[in-house]
Amino acid sequence: MLKVSCPRCKKIQSYQPQTGSITDKIKRCVYCGCSFKVHSNQVKSRIIN
Ligand SMILES: [Zn+2]
């Protein structure tokens, strides 16, 4: 289980990665509904740990 922060509301939420690469996975924020890439690149990664 990973922790990711929403780029819009900054809320931290858990993310359960599916099998395969997470590089292009899209997560929908459970708080504001915004969709964002979980890990588009090193700089823009939303993964906290
Ligand atoms: Zn959000």
Tab-separated table of all heavy atoms in Angstrom:
chain	number	residue	atom	x	y	z
A	1	MET	N	0.840	-1.201	0.000
A	1	MET	CA	0.000	0.000	0.000
A	1	MET	C	0.877	1.254	0.000
A	1	MET	O	1.765	1.402	0.815
A	1	MET	CB	-0.902	0.019	1.233
A	1	MET	CG	-1.971	1.105	1.182
A	1	MET	SD	-3.261	0.764	-0.002
A	1	MET	CE	-4.307	-0.342	0.975
A	2	LEU	N	0.600	2.149	-0.932
A	2	LEU	CA	1.356	3.383	-1.027
A	2	LEU	C	0.523	4.538	-0.505
A	2	LEU	O	-0.701	4.464	-0.446
A	2	LEU	CB	1.730	3.658	-2.484
A	2	LEU	CG	2.604	2.615	-3.172
A	2	LEU	CD1	2.651	2.890	-4.659
A	2	LEU	CD2	3.997	2.609	-2.594
A	3	LYS	N	1.207	5.611	-0.150
A	3	LYS	CA	0.507	6.831	0.219
A	3	LYS	C	0.788	7.874	-0.852
A	3	LYS	O	1.924	8.097	-1.233
A	3	LYS	CB	0.962	7.332	1.589
A	3	LYS	CG	0.478	6.442	2.716
A	3	LYS	CD	0.615	7.163	4.042
A	3	LYS	CE	0.275	6.244	5.219
A	3	LYS	NZ	-1.008	5.571	5.066
A	4	VAL	N	-0.268	8.507	-1.333
A	4	VAL	CA	-0.113	9.529	-2.356
A	4	VAL	C	-0.842	10.796	-1.909
A	4	VAL	O	-1.796	10.735	-1.133
A	4	VAL	CB	-0.687	9.057	-3.711
A	4	VAL	CG1	0.087	7.864	-4.239
A	4	VAL	CG2	-2.165	8.722	-3.597
A	5	SER	N	-0.365	11.942	-2.372
A	5	SER	CA	-1.028	13.192	-2.031
A	5	SER	C	-1.666	13.783	-3.281
A	5	SER	O	-1.065	13.793	-4.352
A	5	SER	CB	-0.042	14.183	-1.423
A	5	SER	OG	0.826	14.691	-2.391
A	6	CYS	N	-2.882	14.268	-3.135
A	6	CYS	CA	-3.602	14.863	-4.249
A	6	CYS	C	-2.962	16.196	-4.631
A	6	CYS	O	-2.659	17.008	-3.768
A	6	CYS	CB	-5.055	15.079	-3.842
A	6	CYS	SG	-6.009	15.963	-5.070
A	7	PRO	N	-2.749	16.447	-5.937
A	7	PRO	CA	-2.138	17.709	-6.362
A	7	PRO	C	-3.066	18.905	-6.169
A	7	PRO	O	-2.612	20.039	-6.142
A	7	PRO	CB	-1.839	17.477	-7.852
A	7	PRO	CG	-2.775	16.398	-8.263
A	7	PRO	CD	-2.992	15.528	-7.057
A	8	ARG	N	-4.350	18.661	-6.031
A	8	ARG	CA	-5.289	19.773	-5.886
A	8	ARG	C	-5.556	20.096	-4.421
A	8	ARG	O	-5.360	21.216	-3.982
A	8	ARG	CB	-6.604	19.442	-6.591
A	8	ARG	CG	-7.596	20.579	-6.512
A	8	ARG	CD	-8.937	20.206	-7.073
A	8	ARG	NE	-8.902	20.034	-8.530
A	8	ARG	CZ	-9.933	19.587	-9.244
A	8	ARG	NH1	-11.051	19.253	-8.656
A	8	ARG	NH2	-9.841	19.459	-10.540
A	9	CYS	N	-6.004	19.100	-3.664
A	9	CYS	CA	-6.388	19.378	-2.276
A	9	CYS	C	-5.299	18.978	-1.282
A	9	CYS	O	-5.424	19.243	-0.095
A	9	CYS	CB	-7.707	18.686	-1.937
A	9	CYS	SG	-7.598	16.890	-1.873
A	10	LYS	N	-4.235	18.333	-1.787
A	10	LYS	CA	-3.068	17.979	-0.975
A	10	LYS	C	-3.343	16.927	0.088
A	10	LYS	O	-2.496	16.652	0.916
A	10	LYS	CB	-2.455	19.217	-0.281
A	10	LYS	CG	-2.302	20.417	-1.179
A	10	LYS	CD	-1.310	20.156	-2.292
A	10	LYS	CE	-1.075	21.439	-3.095
A	10	LYS	NZ	-0.326	21.166	-4.330
A	11	LYS	N	-4.521	16.368	0.059
A	11	LYS	CA	-4.837	15.361	1.070
A	11	LYS	C	-4.100	14.069	0.756
A	11	LYS	O	-3.977	13.664	-0.387
A	11	LYS	CB	-6.342	15.120	1.117
A	11	LYS	CG	-7.102	16.363	1.495
A	11	LYS	CD	-8.254	16.038	2.401
A	11	LYS	CE	-8.995	17.296	2.799
A	11	LYS	NZ	-9.587	17.211	4.108
A	12	ILE	N	-3.631	13.461	1.814
A	12	ILE	CA	-2.898	12.205	1.671
A	12	ILE	C	-3.873	11.048	1.803
A	12	ILE	O	-4.726	11.040	2.684
A	12	ILE	CB	-1.777	12.115	2.721
A	12	ILE	CG1	-0.740	13.204	2.440
A	12	ILE	CG2	-1.129	10.736	2.696
A	12	ILE	CD1	0.289	13.373	3.537
A	13	GLN	N	-3.740	10.114	0.892
A	13	GLN	CA	-4.621	8.962	0.889
A	13	GLN	C	-3.849	7.734	0.462
A	13	GLN	O	-2.801	7.845	-0.168
A	13	GLN	CB	-5.797	9.211	-0.043
A	13	GLN	CG	-5.357	9.593	-1.451
A	13	GLN	CD	-6.350	10.499	-2.133
A	13	GLN	OE1	-7.377	10.063	-2.602
A	13	GLN	NE2	-6.038	11.806	-2.156
A	14	SER	N	-4.381	6.590	0.783
A	14	SER	CA	-3.696	5.354	0.430
A	14	SER	C	-4.024	4.975	-1.000
A	14	SER	O	-5.060	5.324	-1.541
A	14	SER	CB	-4.113	4.234	1.378
A	14	SER	OG	-5.503	4.048	1.337
A	15	TYR	N	-3.104	4.280	-1.614
A	15	TYR	CA	-3.280	3.819	-2.975
A	15	TYR	C	-2.829	2.384	-3.062
A	15	TYR	O	-1.711	2.051	-2.680
A	15	TYR	CB	-2.479	4.696	-3.939
A	15	TYR	CG	-2.458	4.158	-5.354
A	15	TYR	CD1	-3.608	4.216	-6.142
A	15	TYR	CD2	-1.305	3.606	-5.894
A	15	TYR	CE1	-3.602	3.712	-7.437
A	15	TYR	CE2	-1.291	3.112	-7.194
A	15	TYR	CZ	-2.432	3.171	-7.956
A	15	TYR	OH	-2.416	2.678	-9.226
A	16	GLN	N	-3.722	1.534	-3.531
A	16	GLN	CA	-3.396	0.121	-3.676
A	16	GLN	C	-2.976	-0.140	-5.110
A	16	GLN	O	-3.787	-0.109	-6.016
A	16	GLN	CB	-4.623	-0.732	-3.335
A	16	GLN	CG	-4.392	-2.225	-3.502
A	16	GLN	CD	-3.399	-2.778	-2.505
A	16	GLN	OE1	-3.599	-2.722	-1.306
A	16	GLN	NE2	-2.291	-3.296	-3.009
A	17	PRO	N	-1.686	-0.350	-5.342
A	17	PRO	CA	-1.241	-0.577	-6.717
A	17	PRO	C	-1.745	-1.904	-7.265
A	17	PRO	O	-1.798	-2.901	-6.546
A	17	PRO	CB	0.281	-0.552	-6.605
A	17	PRO	CG	0.599	-0.729	-5.179
A	17	PRO	CD	-0.617	-0.391	-4.368
A	18	GLN	N	-2.125	-1.869	-8.519
A	18	GLN	CA	-2.520	-3.095	-9.197
A	18	GLN	C	-1.255	-3.782	-9.708
A	18	GLN	O	-0.169	-3.214	-9.670
A	18	GLN	CB	-3.447	-2.765	-10.366
A	18	GLN	CG	-4.659	-1.933	-9.965
A	18	GLN	CD	-5.535	-2.626	-8.944
A	18	GLN	OE1	-5.869	-3.798	-9.089
A	18	GLN	NE2	-5.914	-1.912	-7.889
A	19	THR	N	-1.431	-4.965	-10.227
A	19	THR	CA	-0.269	-5.667	-10.773
A	19	THR	C	0.249	-4.928	-11.994
A	19	THR	O	-0.512	-4.291	-12.721
A	19	THR	CB	-0.645	-7.107	-11.164
A	19	THR	OG1	-1.761	-7.077	-12.025
A	19	THR	CG2	-0.955	-7.934	-9.933
A	20	GLY	N	1.534	-4.983	-12.196
A	20	GLY	CA	2.144	-4.294	-13.323
A	20	GLY	C	2.685	-2.951	-12.908
A	20	GLY	O	2.697	-2.587	-11.737
A	21	SER	N	3.108	-2.197	-13.888
A	21	SER	CA	3.725	-0.898	-13.629
A	21	SER	C	2.710	0.102	-13.103
A	21	SER	O	1.573	0.150	-13.541
A	21	SER	CB	4.343	-0.358	-14.917
A	21	SER	OG	4.778	0.970	-14.713
A	22	ILE	N	3.136	0.915	-12.140
A	22	ILE	CA	2.254	1.961	-11.618
A	22	ILE	C	2.537	3.289	-12.302
A	22	ILE	O	1.920	4.292	-12.015
A	22	ILE	CB	2.414	2.147	-10.095
A	22	ILE	CG1	3.815	2.655	-9.755
A	22	ILE	CG2	2.090	0.862	-9.378
A	22	ILE	CD1	3.935	3.147	-8.330
A	23	THR	N	3.483	3.263	-13.240
A	23	THR	CA	3.961	4.512	-13.832
A	23	THR	C	2.844	5.353	-14.428
A	23	THR	O	2.807	6.567	-14.264
A	23	THR	CB	4.999	4.220	-14.931
A	23	THR	OG1	6.026	3.418	-14.374
A	23	THR	CG2	5.599	5.509	-15.450
A	24	ASP	N	1.925	4.723	-15.133
A	24	ASP	CA	0.895	5.481	-15.835
A	24	ASP	C	-0.479	5.320	-15.212
A	24	ASP	O	-1.488	5.628	-15.827
A	24	ASP	CB	0.839	5.050	-17.299
A	24	ASP	CG	2.124	5.402	-18.025
A	24	ASP	OD1	2.632	6.504	-17.792
A	24	ASP	OD2	2.602	4.573	-18.798
A	25	LYS	N	-0.508	4.843	-13.973
A	25	LYS	CA	-1.801	4.634	-13.342
A	25	LYS	C	-2.425	5.965	-12.915
A	25	LYS	O	-1.743	6.869	-12.447
A	25	LYS	CB	-1.651	3.731	-12.108
A	25	LYS	CG	-1.331	2.290	-12.470
A	25	LYS	CD	-2.497	1.601	-13.154
A	25	LYS	CE	-2.233	0.115	-13.411
A	25	LYS	NZ	-1.137	-0.106	-14.349
A	26	ILE	N	-3.717	6.048	-13.103
A	26	ILE	CA	-4.455	7.240	-12.720
A	26	ILE	C	-5.247	6.939	-11.447
A	26	ILE	O	-5.940	5.932	-11.362
A	26	ILE	CB	-5.447	7.654	-13.827
A	26	ILE	CG1	-4.714	7.868	-15.149
A	26	ILE	CG2	-6.216	8.888	-13.415
A	26	ILE	CD1	-3.790	9.049	-15.171
A	27	LYS	N	-5.107	7.807	-10.480
A	27	LYS	CA	-5.907	7.655	-9.269
A	27	LYS	C	-6.890	8.805	-9.171
A	27	LYS	O	-6.590	9.931	-9.544
A	27	LYS	CB	-5.021	7.658	-8.019
A	27	LYS	CG	-5.864	7.605	-6.745
A	27	LYS	CD	-5.030	7.438	-5.512
A	27	LYS	CE	-5.888	7.607	-4.254
A	27	LYS	NZ	-7.006	6.634	-4.202
A	28	ARG	N	-8.070	8.498	-8.655
A	28	ARG	CA	-9.055	9.532	-8.435
A	28	ARG	C	-9.073	9.861	-6.954
A	28	ARG	O	-9.232	8.982	-6.116
A	28	ARG	CB	-10.435	9.046	-8.896
A	28	ARG	CG	-11.476	10.136	-8.821
A	28	ARG	CD	-12.751	9.685	-9.499
A	28	ARG	NE	-13.671	10.811	-9.666
A	28	ARG	CZ	-14.863	10.717	-10.227
A	28	ARG	NH1	-15.277	9.560	-10.680
A	28	ARG	NH2	-15.632	11.764	-10.337
A	29	CYS	N	-8.922	11.134	-6.659
A	29	CYS	CA	-8.906	11.572	-5.272
A	29	CYS	C	-10.256	11.296	-4.623
A	29	CYS	O	-11.298	11.629	-5.181
A	29	CYS	CB	-8.599	13.072	-5.211
A	29	CYS	SG	-8.659	13.730	-3.544
A	30	VAL	N	-10.229	10.688	-3.445
A	30	VAL	CA	-11.469	10.352	-2.752
A	30	VAL	C	-12.079	11.577	-2.087
A	30	VAL	O	-13.213	11.550	-1.636
A	30	VAL	CB	-11.244	9.245	-1.701
A	30	VAL	CG1	-10.777	7.953	-2.375
A	30	VAL	CG2	-10.238	9.681	-0.653
A	31	TYR	N	-11.318	12.664	-1.997
A	31	TYR	CA	-11.802	13.860	-1.317
A	31	TYR	C	-12.404	14.867	-2.289
A	31	TYR	O	-13.517	15.344	-2.100
A	31	TYR	CB	-10.665	14.517	-0.535
A	31	TYR	CG	-10.095	13.605	0.526
A	31	TYR	CD1	-8.914	12.907	0.290
A	31	TYR	CD2	-10.755	13.434	1.741
A	31	TYR	CE1	-8.393	12.050	1.250
A	31	TYR	CE2	-10.235	12.589	2.702
A	31	TYR	CZ	-9.055	11.895	2.455
A	31	TYR	OH	-8.553	11.048	3.394
A	32	CYS	N	-11.668	15.221	-3.345
A	32	CYS	CA	-12.161	16.248	-4.261
A	32	CYS	C	-12.541	15.682	-5.622
A	32	CYS	O	-13.083	16.394	-6.453
A	32	CYS	CB	-11.139	17.373	-4.405
A	32	CYS	SG	-9.656	16.913	-5.323
A	33	GLY	N	-12.253	14.415	-5.883
A	33	GLY	CA	-12.667	13.795	-7.134
A	33	GLY	C	-11.734	14.049	-8.293
A	33	GLY	O	-11.992	13.595	-9.396
A	34	CYS	N	-10.667	14.767	-8.049
A	34	CYS	CA	-9.719	15.055	-9.119
A	34	CYS	C	-8.907	13.805	-9.473
A	34	CYS	O	-8.558	13.018	-8.610
A	34	CYS	CB	-8.836	16.220	-8.659
A	34	CYS	SG	-7.134	16.134	-9.020
A	35	SER	N	-8.656	13.617	-10.749
A	35	SER	CA	-7.864	12.483	-11.197
A	35	SER	C	-6.442	12.932	-11.472
A	35	SER	O	-6.219	13.988	-12.041
A	35	SER	CB	-8.464	11.882	-12.472
A	35	SER	OG	-9.727	11.327	-12.199
A	36	PHE	N	-5.498	12.128	-11.047
A	36	PHE	CA	-4.099	12.495	-11.263
A	36	PHE	C	-3.255	11.257	-11.448
A	36	PHE	O	-3.614	10.171	-11.001
A	36	PHE	CB	-3.570	13.329	-10.088
A	36	PHE	CG	-3.687	12.631	-8.747
A	36	PHE	CD1	-2.631	11.871	-8.273
A	36	PHE	CD2	-4.826	12.756	-7.975
A	36	PHE	CE1	-2.722	11.231	-7.025
A	36	PHE	CE2	-4.934	12.126	-6.734
A	36	PHE	CZ	-3.873	11.360	-6.264
A	37	LYS	N	-2.133	11.432	-12.116
A	37	LYS	CA	-1.208	10.324	-12.288
A	37	LYS	C	-0.493	10.066	-10.977
A	37	LYS	O	0.006	10.996	-10.332
A	37	LYS	CB	-0.192	10.648	-13.381
A	37	LYS	CG	-0.762	10.487	-14.783
A	37	LYS	CD	0.356	10.546	-15.805
A	37	LYS	CE	-0.198	10.218	-17.200
A	37	LYS	NZ	0.879	10.196	-18.217
A	38	VAL	N	-0.427	8.822	-10.625
A	38	VAL	CA	0.213	8.459	-9.365
A	38	VAL	C	1.715	8.713	-9.426
A	38	VAL	O	2.312	9.214	-8.493
A	38	VAL	CB	-0.063	6.982	-9.053
A	38	VAL	CG1	0.756	6.517	-7.852
A	38	VAL	CG2	-1.545	6.777	-8.773
A	39	HIS	N	2.294	8.390	-10.544
A	39	HIS	CA	3.751	8.516	-10.639
A	39	HIS	C	4.135	8.738	-12.086
A	39	HIS	O	4.482	7.815	-12.802
A	39	HIS	CB	4.412	7.243	-10.093
A	39	HIS	CG	5.901	7.323	-10.023
A	39	HIS	ND1	6.567	7.799	-8.915
A	39	HIS	CD2	6.857	6.997	-10.924
A	39	HIS	CE1	7.873	7.740	-9.148
A	39	HIS	NE2	8.073	7.274	-10.355
A	40	SER	N	4.061	9.979	-12.546
A	40	SER	CA	4.380	10.260	-13.942
A	40	SER	C	5.878	10.334	-14.167
A	40	SER	O	6.390	9.978	-15.199
A	40	SER	CB	3.707	11.556	-14.403
A	40	SER	OG	4.056	12.627	-13.549
A	41	ASN	N	6.594	10.837	-13.187
A	41	ASN	CA	8.059	10.839	-13.255
A	41	ASN	C	8.620	11.102	-11.862
A	41	ASN	O	7.866	11.296	-10.903
A	41	ASN	CB	8.574	11.864	-14.268
A	41	ASN	CG	8.162	13.281	-13.915
A	41	ASN	OD1	8.347	13.721	-12.788
A	41	ASN	ND2	7.582	13.996	-14.847
A	42	GLN	N	9.928	11.126	-11.748
A	42	GLN	CA	10.550	11.295	-10.434
A	42	GLN	C	10.144	12.582	-9.743
A	42	GLN	O	9.902	12.611	-8.553
A	42	GLN	CB	12.075	11.279	-10.590
A	42	GLN	CG	12.652	9.903	-10.895
A	42	GLN	CD	12.727	9.030	-9.654
A	42	GLN	OE1	13.001	9.505	-8.584
A	42	GLN	NE2	12.451	7.742	-9.818
A	43	VAL	N	10.060	13.653	-10.505
A	43	VAL	CA	9.776	14.955	-9.912
A	43	VAL	C	8.309	15.095	-9.522
A	43	VAL	O	7.979	15.614	-8.461
A	43	VAL	CB	10.172	16.087	-10.885
A	43	VAL	CG1	9.779	17.451	-10.313
A	43	VAL	CG2	11.666	16.027	-11.167
A	44	LYS	N	7.437	14.596	-10.401
A	44	LYS	CA	6.009	14.792	-10.185
A	44	LYS	C	5.345	13.663	-9.431
A	44	LYS	O	4.136	13.623	-9.326
A	44	LYS	CB	5.319	15.005	-11.539
A	44	LYS	CG	5.706	16.309	-12.188
A	44	LYS	CD	4.926	16.523	-13.469
A	44	LYS	CE	5.260	17.871	-14.099
A	44	LYS	NZ	4.553	18.073	-15.370
A	45	SER	N	6.107	12.736	-8.935
A	45	SER	CA	5.520	11.610	-8.239
A	45	SER	C	4.666	12.071	-7.061
A	45	SER	O	5.039	12.969	-6.311
A	45	SER	CB	6.625	10.695	-7.707
A	45	SER	OG	6.051	9.668	-6.919
A	46	ARG	N	3.498	11.470	-6.941
A	46	ARG	CA	2.623	11.792	-5.828
A	46	ARG	C	2.837	10.835	-4.664
A	46	ARG	O	2.142	10.923	-3.656
A	46	ARG	CB	1.149	11.727	-6.252
A	46	ARG	CG	0.820	12.485	-7.518
A	46	ARG	CD	1.312	13.912	-7.517
A	46	ARG	NE	0.929	14.636	-6.303
A	46	ARG	CZ	1.259	15.891	-6.067
A	46	ARG	NH1	1.986	16.558	-6.934
A	46	ARG	NH2	0.870	16.489	-4.981
A	47	ILE	N	3.754	9.908	-4.822
A	47	ILE	CA	3.965	8.895	-3.801
A	47	ILE	C	4.750	9.469	-2.625
A	47	ILE	O	5.820	10.064	-2.807
A	47	ILE	CB	4.711	7.674	-4.390
A	47	ILE	CG1	3.848	7.043	-5.477
A	47	ILE	CG2	5.029	6.671	-3.285
A	47	ILE	CD1	4.593	5.986	-6.283
A	48	ILE	N	4.227	9.319	-1.437
A	48	ILE	CA	4.894	9.827	-0.230
A	48	ILE	C	5.910	8.805	0.254
A	48	ILE	O	7.033	9.158	0.587
A	48	ILE	CB	3.867	10.084	0.891
A	48	ILE	CG1	2.730	10.972	0.379
A	48	ILE	CG2	4.562	10.710	2.100
A	48	ILE	CD1	3.154	12.350	-0.055
A	49	ASN	N	5.517	7.570	0.308
A	49	ASN	CA	6.453	6.508	0.673
A	49	ASN	C	5.936	5.180	0.176
A	49	ASN	O	4.840	5.103	-0.344
A	49	ASN	CB	6.686	6.474	2.186
A	49	ASN	CG	5.396	6.284	2.966
A	49	ASN	OD1	4.469	5.597	2.489
A	49	ASN	ND2	5.292	6.872	4.131
B	1	ZN	ZN	-8.023	15.936	-3.964
